[in-house]
């Protein structure tokens, strides 16, 4: 994985969360669509992630966010907790008073993965 600590790579739009792309599908040979590192400041909302049709795995590295989903009451995701969000669900995350730090991994859902061509080169354990 390519990791850069240069702040020039962090993106902050209109006072919203700083986001650093750690990997995109073109860099990966997998079902992974993207890996992003987000640092929303206090009160910032994360809702538009620029992609659709992916399952999302959210890992809270530090701080907390309030998660708002259309079919449930708001709840809190805290440091060390993980949230799985299926394709089509678009939860809204609001950073707590001291901000938050999250790792977002977006992956293709199983029904789309089944449509992908076989991987080349084939690995020995894939033949069995």
């Amino acid at each position: 994985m390519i990791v850069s600590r240069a702040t020039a790579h962090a993106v902050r739009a209109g006072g919203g969360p700083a986001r650093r792309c750690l990997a995109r599908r073109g860099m990966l040979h997998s079902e992974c669509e993207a890996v992003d590192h987000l640092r929303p400041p206090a009160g910032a909302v994360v809702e538009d992630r620029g992609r659709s049709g992916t399952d999302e795995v959210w890992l809270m590295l530090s701080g907390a966010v309030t998660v708002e989903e259309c079919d449930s009451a708001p709840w809190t995701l805290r440091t060390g907790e993980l949230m799985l969000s299926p394709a089509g669900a678009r939860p809204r995350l609001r950073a707590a008073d001291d901000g938050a730090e999250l790792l977002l991994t977006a992956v293709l859902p199983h029904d789309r993965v089944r449509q992908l061509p076989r991987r080349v080169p084939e690995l020995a354990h894939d033949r069995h």
Side-chain angles (χ1 to χ4, degrees), residues 13-118:
R19 175 185 301 230
R20 179 178 299 154
C21 170
L22 300 179
R24 284 281 179 261
R25 186 169 14 126
M27 300 163 66
L28 307 168
H29 185 69
S30 73
E31 293 79 13
C32 185
E33 179 73 19
V35 179
D36 291 338
H37 177 234
L38 293 93
R39 299 184 82 180
V45 174
V46 177
E47 55 185 347
D48 181 23
R49 292 178 276 289
R51 71 182 69 81
S52 63
T54 59
D55 293 335
E56 296 174 337
V57 180
W58 293 88
L59 174 62
M60 281 299 306
L61 301 174
S62 66
V65 294
T66 300
V67 179
E68 300 171 7
E69 299 175 282
C70 63
D71 59 348
S72 66
W75 56 280
T76 303
L77 184 66
R78 295 180 172 83
T79 300
E81 295 181 338
L82 187 74
M83 177 179 73
L84 304 176
S85 181
R90 302 301 279 179
R92 182 178 169 179
L93 294 86
R94 181 179 300 277
D97 292 341
D98 51 350
E101 183 176 12
L102 304 102
L103 189 65
L104 165 63
T105 302
V107 297
L108 296 175
H110 185 67
D111 61 331
R112 288 181 56 197
V113 170
R114 288 192 324 245
Q115 298 172 10
L116 294 175
R118 278 185 71 80

